[in-house]
Amino acid sequence: MNFDTWFHKQDKIIQIVLLIIPLVGWIVDLLVRWSAFIKKNTTINLVMALLITFLGEFWILTILDGIWIALNNKLFLEE
């Protein structure tokens, strides 16, 4: 699963747009988080993947990821 590498190869504006569209943002964030966890089995990646899976519908974490990408060029707490 290489969805995280595909996502990080996109322009920053495309990444932000993909994250701020309500349902699409949750699905993209879900795919990126689980793909990152499969590549690197770290506790942080697992915790964030589970949070996005179960609390992602509240949209706060996805907005935080969009802001974090704009500032730091990576997702919030992604290794």
Side-chain angles (χ1 to χ4, degrees):
M1 187 177 221
N2 291 325
F3 195 79
D4 61 330
T5 56
W6 173 84
F7 180 76
H8 291 299
K9 286 181 183 177
Q10 304 302 315
D11 292 332
K12 187 185 286 192
I13 191 73
I14 300 293
Q15 292 175 352
I16 293 169
V17 167
L18 283 173
L19 286 173
I20 63 171
I21 300 172
L23 183 61
V24 174
W26 179 65
I27 293 170
V28 167
D29 207 4
L30 192 68
L31 289 172
V32 170
R33 294 292 184 169
W34 282 108
S35 177
F37 173 68
I38 289 171
K39 280 187 173 177
K40 293 182 179 180
N41 293 332
T42 62
T43 306
I44 292 175
N45 284 343
L46 175 63
V47 168
M48 289 306 294
L50 289 172
L51 281 174
I52 292 297
T53 301
F54 295 112
L55 300 176
E57 65 271 2
F58 294 119
W59 210 52
I60 293 169
L61 295 172
T62 307
I63 293 296
L64 181 64
D65 281 338
I67 293 169
W68 207 259
I69 283 211
L71 297 175
N72 298 325
N73 235 3
K74 67 176 195 168
L75 293 174
F76 180 68
L77 292 178
E78 180 189 34
E79 291 187 15

